[in-house]
Amino acid sequence: MALRWLCAMLLALPGVWGVCQQPPRFVFAEPPTPLKESYPTGIELRYKCRPGYVMASGKSPKVTCLSNSSWSATSDFCIGKSCGLPDIRNGKFNYTTNLLFGATITYTCNIGYRLVGKPSAQCVLKDKEVYWDNIPECDSIPCSPPPVIENGQLINGDRDFTFGMAVSYSCDRDFALIGNATIHCTVDDNLEGMWSGPAPECKVVRCENPKVKNGKRLSGFGTKHTYKNTVTFGCNPGHLLNGSGVVTCEADSTWKPPLPTCDPIYCGPAPQFLFAESERAVGDSSLAGTKLMYRCKPGYTAAHGMSSVVTCLSDGTWSADPDFCIRQECPHPMIENGDVIADNFLFETVVTFICHSGYELKKSSAKCVVSGDGVDWDTAPPYCKRQFPDVLCGEPPTIDNGMHNGGKDTEFVHGSTVAYKCNDGFILVGEAFLQCIARDQYSGVWNKPPPECRGGANIIIVGILPLLLAMLVMNI
């Protein structure tokens, strides 16, 4: 009896003889019925997709009892049906997985629309089909009628206004529109319709005729000025604009920014020049645009192509041509028996002089100075005086067959020169001129030995002998 009970227990244990217990259960599929308490190894059961699910492509709905008493099956062989894209006008939906059975989505509306209904939906089963259990609507957001204004009117204001629509205003004659002429329907944080701004005003705006001392108008001429009229100012010569040069007539009938001022511009003291002076006296300051005429100082003259007018500029500085006066030139000095040393002969130049040998300079320099309406040397040109005036040479040496031109004089002063010549038939050999030079401060001497006069025949023979020999050689 005990053995029979033990055998029954062993047969009932799973896996002992290769049997499987009841097949697995799936959310998406159901096994064939009726179910048994156990199944033998190798048996296959074909499952059927539950409502809301369909067979997955490429997968088998069969499960098999294995030799280890477990069931084998492919995963997710049934998948949920798709609810498809929900149709929501003027809106869109958001999802994080898919659109299959069991999925949940949320709705949002486009700008200018607000959601009417639940903000989410689920893909659910009904009558063995799936569908979205909720599709809300996106209604356009309306604005209340636009505000009316005094002394003006709406353009196309007799209609309903929703998000994005605009309305414009205009003013009656002689009234200016202050603010934005157009406002549009928008929304607040609570998705309630509201206008983008307040309605404009229609006002009478008149600004006084603007005037700026020492200034002038460059635009905006006329005497009547209304809202947003502009006037542009500039300053008269010698004045600097302080403030904005462009002003606008604003809603409170005043000019903004405030009218500018034209402040005078001054230069400092008139410039000083070494070569010129102003024709009239001026103070320590001069208004910009002031022109001063200068005249050249004595010793100077106007430079060609240069203006002697000096002008006070708008930046507070004086302008002038460079070196509009140049130095005058003295006559070129000359000195007998000497030379002048100088780079030029212009006003205030000092020149120096040197004498030739044998002469003594009595004054070494001269300066070019003012003289009348021009310039001249401050003194008469110096001269070169002969040195050693009492130094004498005796009678020049006499020569044979010749003579000198000293005549019968027996004394010759320093620097005297005599010339020698030969009688006919004789030729002069040596220096033809002798000069009396100083030996010391008391006596002189002739600077060279006298020449000689040699016989002319001997010289002719010496000179003609080579010619005769050449003629004999050539058999002439």
Side-chain angles (χ1 to χ4, degrees):
M1 189 68 179
L3 179 61
R4 188 179 298 170
W5 178 82
L6 180 61
C7 289
M9 290 295 293
L10 290 173
L11 289 173
L13 291 174
V16 173
W17 299 103
V19 296
C20 293
Q21 298 298 311
Q22 289 188 351
R25 297 191 177 266
F26 300 102
V27 173
F28 50 81
E30 56 188 16
T33 57
L35 297 177
K36 300 179 180 180
E37 290 296 328
S38 62
Y39 293 86
T41 300
I43 192 170
E44 289 184 345
L45 299 181
R46 185 181 184 87
Y47 276 68
K48 180 175 63 176
C49 293
R50 293 181 185 275
Y53 294 90
V54 294
M55 188 67 64
S57 176
K59 293 191 177 183
S60 173
K62 297 177 180 180
V63 296
T64 304
C65 178
L66 302 178
S67 60
N68 61 358
S69 299
S70 65
W71 294 96
S72 71
T74 56
S75 62
D76 299 335
F77 52 84
C78 290
I79 60 174
K81 292 182 179 180
S82 174
C83 278
L85 300 175
D87 182 16
I88 177 169
R89 296 182 60 188
N90 302 312
K92 57 186 176 181
F93 63 91
N94 302 306
Y95 59 97
T96 57
T97 56
N98 50 46
L99 302 179
L100 304 181
F101 175 56
T104 299
I105 60 175
T106 57
Y107 295 101
T108 57
C109 291
N110 297 337
I111 296 176
Y113 296 85
R114 57 189 172 191
L115 197 71
V116 179
K118 294 181 179 180
S120 65
Q122 187 176 17
C123 184
V124 297
L125 179 66
K126 182 179 181 181
D127 298 330
K128 297 185 179 181
E129 292 298 331
V130 294
Y131 71 101
W132 296 110
D133 64 350
N134 171 53
I135 299 180
E137 294 182 358
C138 289
D139 290 347
S140 59
I141 300 175
C143 277
S144 59
V148 296
I149 59 174
E150 295 182 1
N151 304 310
Q153 54 278 323
L154 285 165
I155 302 174
N156 297 327
D158 53 347
R159 53 185 171 142
D160 293 332
F161 289 89
T162 58
F163 177 83
M165 298 181 67
V167 62
S168 296
Y169 292 85
S170 65
C171 291
D172 298 339
R173 183 182 179 86
D174 295 330
F175 287 84
L177 189 141
I178 313 300
N180 291 324
T182 301
I183 56 176
H184 58 275
C185 179
T186 183
V187 296
D188 60 15
D189 294 338
N190 296 320
L191 297 181
E192 295 293 335
M194 60 178 292
W195 291 101
S196 59
E201 296 181 76
C202 291
K203 295 176 60 177
V204 175
V205 177
R206 293 283 187 273
C207 287
E208 293 184 359
N209 194 31
K211 294 181 181 180
V212 174
K213 185 179 180 181
N214 298 315
K216 56 187 176 182
R217 291 189 201 178
L218 304 179
S219 69
F221 304 101
T223 57
K224 293 183 178 181
H225 303 278
T226 61
Y227 183 60
K228 289 302 179 183
N229 286 168
T230 60
V231 177
T232 304
F233 288 97
C235 289
N236 296 333
H239 296 79
L240 179 66
L241 187 73
N242 185 8
S244 175
V246 180
V247 295
T248 303
C249 181
E250 294 294 355
D252 59 355
S253 296
T254 62
W255 294 101
K256 290 185 176 58
L259 296 180
T261 59
C262 287
D263 301 332
I265 302 171
Y266 293 98
C267 290
Q272 302 290 325
F273 300 100
L274 293 175
F275 51 80
E277 57 189 1
S278 177
E279 292 186 351
R280 62 183 178 90
V282 294
D284 292 337
S285 62
S286 298
L287 188 66
T290 300
K291 295 182 180 296
L292 300 179
M293 181 70 71
Y294 278 72
R295 57 172 173 264
C296 296
K297 291 181 179 179
Y300 293 86
T301 186
H304 179 70
M306 297 289 185
S307 172
S308 61
V309 176
V310 178
T311 305
C312 175
L313 301 180
S314 58
D315 61 357
T317 62
W318 292 96
S319 75
D321 286 349
D323 300 333
F324 55 84
C325 291
I326 57 176
R327 290 187 291 171
Q328 292 180 292
E329 188 175 32
C330 279
H332 292 201
M334 304 290 291
I335 182 170
E336 189 175 0
N337 298 314
D339 297 305
V340 180
I341 300 176
D343 293 331
N344 58 67
F345 305 105
L346 300 177
F347 173 58
E348 294 187 329
T349 297
V350 176
V351 299
T352 57
F353 301 87
I354 59 174
C355 290
H356 296 161
S357 177
Y359 291 87
E360 181 183 3
L361 188 66
K362 293 302 181 182
K363 185 178 180 182
S364 62
S365 64
K367 184 177 181 180
C368 184
V369 297
V370 174
S371 177
D373 294 333
V375 291
D376 204 351
W377 300 106
D378 62 344
T379 183
Y383 63 96
C384 292
K385 183 178 180 181
R386 186 186 298 275
Q387 292 178 316
F388 315 124
D390 298 326
V391 173
L392 302 177
C393 289
E395 182 179 358
T398 58
I399 58 173
D400 295 335
N401 302 311
M403 66 185 68
H404 58 73
N405 64 352
K408 297 180 178 180
D409 293 337
T410 57
E411 291 183 344
F412 293 83
V413 297
H414 178 270
S416 298
T417 301
V418 295
Y420 285 83
K421 70 175 183 176
C422 294
N423 297 334
D424 294 339
F426 293 87
I427 295 176
L428 189 71
V429 178
E431 296 292 336
F433 298 92
L434 272 65
Q435 186 180 30
C436 178
I437 62 175
R439 179 165 51 194
D440 53 40
Q441 66 181 91
Y442 302 108
S443 61
V445 65
W446 296 102
N447 64 333
K448 295 176 182 177
E452 297 179 10
C453 290
R454 296 180 182 177
N458 294 334
I459 293 176
I460 291 174
I461 291 174
V462 172
I464 201 172
L465 184 57
L467 178 61
L468 293 175
L469 289 175
M471 293 175 63
L472 289 174
V473 171
M474 299 176 63
N475 293 322
I476 296 177

